[in-house]
Amino acid sequence: MRQRLINKTQPQESLESTETLESLSFDSELTASRMAMSDELIPNVLPVKPMSLHSLLFDSNISKEAWAEGLKYHIKKLTNLLLNDQTQSFDQYLSSEFGADIPEISEERKKRFAEIDYRPVLQDLLQTAILIEHSTIPPYLTALYSIKDGTNALASQIIRSVAVEEMLHLIMVCNVLNAINIQPSVNKPQNYPTYPMKLPMNVDFFVGLETFSPNSIATFIAIESPSSPLVKAPKYIPAALPKTSLTQRGAFVQENNFWTLENMKGFIMENVHTIGEYYDVLFFYITFFQIIAYYQKNGSLPHSFKDLDQGGIFTGSASKQIRPEQYYGSGGKLHAVEGLAGVIAVFQEIKGQGEGADDSIFDVDPSQFEEGVELAHYFRFKEVFHEHFYVGGDYRPFTDENGMMPVSTPPNGKALPVDWSAAYPMKANPKVSDYTHKELYEQGIEFNKTYRRLLDAIQDAVEGKQSELEKSIMYMYALKEQAVALMKQPLDAQNNAGPTFEYISL
C-alpha cells in the first residue's frame, strides 16, 4: 500500500514571490527524486524474501551482493515490527528465523563472532548520528536568528520548535551511547559540522548556514524528507482553523565476513537517503550486536523480544542517563535508555518528529490527542515554504481510496503569512577569517565561545553531571543576541556578517 503512487496534478497556489515559485519547482523535483531513490534501495513494501535472518548473520558463503540484499529485507522487516511496537509479531519473526530446522553454526563462524567488538562499530555509527543531529542545529538557528524582530512570528515559532527538538534528538542519541557504556562526545573538534557540507549519507544536496529564505527552507525540507512516498491525508473539515503550536542467494564464494565497520558504513553510504532510513539501519545494527551478545552468553539464539531487551551490549550505568525531569527544553519527550526498549522509544521519537509517525503528517498519532498536536519537521517546513497550513485544507482530489496522499502534496489550508524580505542579508557559510575588522572579528569569536560553552554544558550532562543542562537556556539566549549583533554588521554592499559555529578553544 505504501508504495502505490498517485498520478495527480499537485494543487496550484498563487505565490507572491517569483523566487518562491522557482523554489517550488525545485522542492517538487527534489522530493520526487529522493522518493524514487528511497523506494528503489530500501523499499517500504518488502521484496521477495532473499534469505533467512540466520543465513544473513551466520552464513559465510554468500556474496556481498546477496548480503546487501538480505540486509535491506531484514532491516525493513525488523524495524517495521519493533519501531511500530509489534513485539508479538517480532517474537513470531524471530522464532521462524531461528527455528529448530536451522543449520548448525560452524565452529569457524562461532570463533569469528566471539572476536567481534561491537564497541568501535556502534561508537562510530552513533557518533555519526550525533553529527547528523548536530549538523541541522546551526542552519536552523541561523535562519531563525536572521528573521528581523517583530516579523514572521509563525515562521519563527516553527523553526525554533524544530531546532529545540533536534537538540533533544542529540541528547537522546547520547543516552543510547551511555546505555551501551560508550562515552558520547559532542564538544570536540571532530564533533563540529563544517559548512557547507553533505550529510553522511547518500544525498545530493548541501547543508549550510544561510539567511531565512525560500532556498534555506527548501534545504530544511530536503534534510527532513520522509522515507515513505505516501502519507495519511488530513481529514477535510470545512472552516476548521489550525492550531499553531531482497533477491536470490549469490553463488558460492570463499568465506566472507561482511559484519565490519567498513562494510556496514559502506551499506549506509550506498543505500541510505534520509535521516529516518539512517536510524532504521542503525537500529538493525544495534539489534544485530544484541543477538550476537545473547548467543555468546547463552549458546543459543533468541526467540523473543524479552530475550533481547536487557543485558548483552547494554552495560552502561543508569546514573549517566539524562531523564525527562533533567531536560529543560520544550517540544518532544526525552527517553532514558537502559535496554532495547529504550532504544526503540528514542528512535520512534526521532523518526516521528522528523518525518511523521504511523504514516501521518503529525509527529505522534493525532487520534490520541484533542489539541496541541504538532506536525513532523518535514511538514512544518513545507508550511513555511508554501505559506499555508496543512490543517484545514482539502486534499480529497489527491487522496487514494486508502486515505493516502503523496508527501509532495503542498499544504492548502489557511494562509501562513511569510515576509521573505524581513531577514538580514547574511553571507552564506561565513568564517571568522572573513571578518578583517577587529571588532567584527572579536564578535565572531565571542559567539563561537558561547556556542562552545553550550556544547560543554551538554558534554558535562552526558558524562553524569545532568544539572549542567540548566546552563543551556542561558547560553541559548546569549547566542541569539550575539548572532543578531553580527547579522546587523555589513561585510560589503550585498552581504552582512553572521554566526559561524566554528570550533574554538576556551
Side-chain angles (χ1 to χ4, degrees):
M1 179 184 74
R2 298 173 67 184
Q3 271 194 319
R4 295 169 54 203
L5 300 179
I6 308 172
N7 297 316
K8 292 179 183 284
T9 305
Q10 293 193 5
Q12 298 296 313
E13 297 180 26
S14 58
L15 303 180
E16 297 177 3
S17 165
T18 302
E19 182 180 15
T20 303
L21 185 60
E22 293 171 350
S23 298
L24 172 58
S25 176
F26 162 77
D27 174 49
S28 300
E29 293 172 3
L30 178 62
T31 300
S33 172
R34 291 169 60 82
M35 290 307 162
M37 290 189 295
S38 175
D39 289 346
E40 176 185 354
L41 295 168
I42 301 186
N44 286 311
V45 174
L46 294 175
V48 177
K49 182 177 179 181
M51 67 176 64
S52 69
L53 181 61
H54 181 277
S55 296
L56 177 66
L57 270 52
F58 298 109
D59 190 345
S60 59
N61 297 319
I62 59 176
S63 68
K64 190 170 184 180
E65 291 75 17
W67 174 79
E69 290 300 314
L71 193 53
K72 292 176 187 177
Y73 175 87
H74 288 286
I75 286 172
K76 183 57 63 177
K77 180 70 174 180
L78 188 147
T79 56
N80 274 346
L81 294 174
L82 287 184
L83 295 186
N84 288 298
D85 298 318
Q86 298 180 33
T87 53
Q88 288 186 342
S89 296
F90 173 75
D91 291 350
Q92 295 171 359
Y93 163 70
L94 272 190
S95 295
S96 65
E97 298 293 330
F98 296 154
D101 58 344
I102 61 172
E104 186 176 350
I105 301 171
S106 69
E107 292 300 321
E108 178 64 25
R109 202 62 171 169
K110 290 178 182 178
K111 181 180 177 181
R112 283 203 177 191
F113 277 117
E115 295 171 351
I116 284 181
D117 184 0
Y118 65 86
R119 293 173 58 81
V121 178
L122 291 185
Q123 181 175 29
D124 186 288
L125 297 175
L126 284 162
Q127 281 292 156
T128 299
I130 289 175
L131 179 61
I132 290 172
E133 301 297 345
H134 189 174
S135 299
T136 67
I137 296 170
Y140 294 168
L141 291 180
T142 298
L144 173 65
Y145 296 156
S146 71
I147 296 174
K148 295 180 179 179
D149 285 345
T151 68
N152 293 309
L154 293 174
S156 296
Q157 180 182 340
I158 288 171
I159 300 172
R160 183 185 300 108
S161 69
V162 175
V164 169
E165 288 172 4
E166 297 296 349
M167 192 75 73
L168 173 73
H169 298 174
L170 185 151
I171 291 173
M172 288 196 293
V173 176
C174 290
N175 273 351
V176 175
L177 272 164
N178 271 326
I180 57 178
N181 203 22
I182 298 175
Q183 179 61 60
S185 177
V186 301
N187 65 344
K188 303 296 188 294
Q190 61 269 26
N191 305 136
Y192 273 65
T194 302
Y195 302 103
M197 64 172 287
K198 283 189 175 183
L199 298 179
M201 303 178 293
N202 190 353
V203 296
D204 55 0
F205 62 91
F206 284 87
V207 178
L209 304 176
E210 300 181 38
T211 191
F212 174 71
S213 69
N215 186 65
S216 61
I217 298 300
T219 299
F220 300 167
I221 291 170
I223 290 172
E224 303 287 355
S225 291
S227 305
S228 173
L230 298 177
V231 67
K232 293 176 184 175
K235 292 183 179 180
Y236 175 59
I237 305 176
L241 296 179
K243 286 183 175 288
T244 57
S245 34
L246 298 170
T247 62
Q248 296 180 349
R249 290 183 54 173
F252 180 83
V253 294
Q254 292 186 348
E255 181 158 323
N256 294 309
N257 178 27
F258 300 118
W259 299 104
T260 64
L261 175 60
E262 180 182 4
N263 285 325
M264 295 164 85
K265 289 184 69 175
F267 178 87
I268 289 173
M269 294 306 298
E270 291 179 8
N271 297 292
V272 171
H273 303 88
T274 71
I275 294 176
E277 286 177 358
Y278 184 90
Y279 279 103
D280 283 346
V281 177
L282 179 55
F283 180 74
F284 182 88
Y285 288 164
I286 291 172
T287 306
F288 161 74
F289 285 117
Q290 185 69 343
I291 289 172
I292 299 305
Y294 180 91
Y295 178 78
Q296 290 172 342
K297 178 181 178 181
N298 298 281
S300 61
L301 293 169
H303 284 79
S304 70
F305 176 77
K306 185 177 180 181
D307 292 339
L308 295 174
D309 185 26
Q310 298 292 319
I313 67 175
F314 297 103
T315 61
S317 171
S319 64
K320 287 190 174 182
Q321 292 293 309
I322 298 178
R323 303 181 185 277
E325 63 272 16
Q326 297 162 330
Y327 180 66
Y328 299 91
S330 59
K333 183 178 180 181
L334 190 147
H335 299 275
V337 179
E338 297 180 8
L340 194 58
V343 179
I344 291 172
V346 165
F347 286 13
Q348 285 175 331
E349 187 77 14
I350 292 174
K351 290 189 64 181
Q353 288 186 336
E355 59 182 44
D358 191 27
D359 291 333
S360 168
I361 68 172
F362 299 98
D363 59 7
V364 295
D365 181 358
S367 66
Q368 300 176 18
F369 302 87
E370 294 183 358
E371 60 181 0
V373 176
E374 289 192 317
L375 301 185
H377 297 175
Y378 172 81
F379 300 100
R380 286 186 231 176
F381 285 136
K382 285 182 75 72
E383 287 187 325
V384 176
F385 184 90
H386 294 288
E387 305 179 31
H388 283 80
F389 291 103
Y390 273 98
V391 177
D394 185 1
Y395 307 96
R396 292 175 294 175
F398 316 100
T399 304
D400 67 10
E401 66 275 15
N402 297 308
M404 307 295 284
M405 69 179 186
V407 295
S408 57
T409 305
N412 60 21
K414 183 182 177 181
L416 192 166
V418 177
D419 182 357
W420 298 107
S421 66
Y424 296 106
M426 188 195 88
K427 175 183 178 179
N429 306 305
K431 307 295 180 187
V432 169
S433 58
D434 297 333
Y435 304 154
T436 56
H437 190 279
K438 180 181 178 181
E439 182 178 349
L440 187 57
Y441 177 85
E442 290 176 349
Q443 283 182 279
I445 292 294
E446 286 304 310
F447 176 90
N448 288 335
K449 285 183 177 179
T450 302
Y451 191 63
R452 169 64 191 275
R453 292 186 182 103
L454 171 64
L455 295 181
D456 285 349
I458 296 174
Q459 184 67 44
D460 287 341
V462 301
E463 290 181 3
K465 303 174 185 175
Q466 291 87 340
S467 61
E468 290 297 300
L469 274 182
E470 296 179 22
K471 298 178 180 178
S472 63
I473 299 176
M474 171 183 66
Y475 294 137
M476 289 296 289
Y477 279 112
L479 281 177
K480 179 180 180 180
E481 181 179 346
Q482 293 170 334
V484 171
L486 282 165
M487 291 178 178
K488 290 181 177 179
Q489 303 296 317
L491 276 180
D492 52 44
Q494 288 79 35
N495 300 303
N496 287 9
T500 65
F501 293 92
E502 294 172 280
Y503 175 82
I504 191 169
S505 299
L506 296 179

